[in-house]
Amino acid sequence: VCCMKMICEGCAYAAEKRCMDDCPFCRTPYPDSDAAMLSMVQARALKKDPEAINFLGEKYCHGRLGLQKDTRKAVEMLTEAAGLGSIDALFNLGAAHEDGVGVQQDEAKAVEFYAKAAMQGHVLSRYSLGFTLGKKEGNYGRAVRLSVVRHFMISAKMGHKDS
């Protein structure tokens, strides 16, 4: 959470084996409370870090880290993060529009956000794009369009197990 960087499981395992109690990427000590974590993430969000803004948007959506649940504010933050380049925020906006969380339910908008994230390599967006298009098709079991199958095949090749 400190620097909002993702590391591979191998690097995380190596850091654990070395008994490192801080972030393996930036060496900052992990926060010891929700309040400390929140202040650390808010500081990164003020610097316009798209991953920090996306993280805060997710927390507002679910009311975690001591934040009051506010789905409209969550969508605002996700929109800002997507504008700054977060593909996770694009996926989250697609899910919000698909489910009508913080915004009016709109499957066309959901497909648009899923497609933007999928084109940038987001695996779950690719799968969700196929799933959402399959639902729109209506007769999901029998008449699955070629594009739906294509999205599932691409997400499977990218490692999504449910594809």
Side-chain angles (χ1 to χ4, degrees):
V1 170
C2 52
C3 60
M4 307 306 294
K5 304 289 185 211
M6 295 290 293
I7 61 169
C8 70
E9 289 182 27
C11 292
Y13 179 73
E16 185 180 320
K17 292 289 273 184
R18 290 188 196 122
C19 298
M20 291 177 65
D21 292 332
D22 51 7
C23 174
F25 193 83
C26 71
R27 305 290 194 250
T28 303
Y30 287 120
D32 56 359
S33 67
D34 284 351
M37 182 183 295
L38 182 60
S39 67
M40 189 178 276
V41 174
Q42 286 174 330
R44 293 207 59 85
L46 287 174
K47 295 175 184 174
K48 299 296 182 190
D49 181 345
E51 297 310 317
I53 297 169
N54 177 60
F55 183 86
L56 279 178
E58 290 175 356
K59 299 310 170 196
Y60 270 109
C61 185
H62 302 290
R64 297 201 175 113
L65 286 184
L67 296 171
Q68 190 72 20
K69 183 175 180 175
D70 186 349
T71 55
R72 292 212 186 272
K73 183 167 179 125
V75 169
E76 288 173 17
M77 295 189 91
L78 294 173
T79 303
E80 181 182 356
L84 291 170
S86 171
I87 60 173
D88 289 328
L90 287 170
F91 168 74
N92 288 332
L93 283 169
H97 281 85
E98 183 177 13
D99 299 334
V101 175
V103 291
Q104 185 174 354
Q105 189 172 11
D106 184 350
E107 281 197 1
K109 277 268 207 204
V111 166
E112 180 183 327
F113 284 117
Y114 286 149
K116 284 180 183 178
M119 294 301 289
Q120 295 180 48
H122 196 272
V123 179
L124 193 51
S125 289
R126 180 67 71 174
Y127 173 78
S128 298
L129 183 58
F131 189 79
T132 304
L133 290 173
K135 284 193 312 187
K136 286 175 72 172
E137 185 67 22
N139 210 353
Y140 186 70
R142 289 183 247 147
V144 180
R145 294 187 333 204
L146 183 59
S147 65
V148 174
V149 173
R150 185 185 68 210
H151 290 301
F152 284 150
M153 292 296 291
I154 292 170
S155 64
K157 286 180 183 177
M158 294 172 76
H160 193 270
K161 292 180 178 144
D162 291 338
S163 297

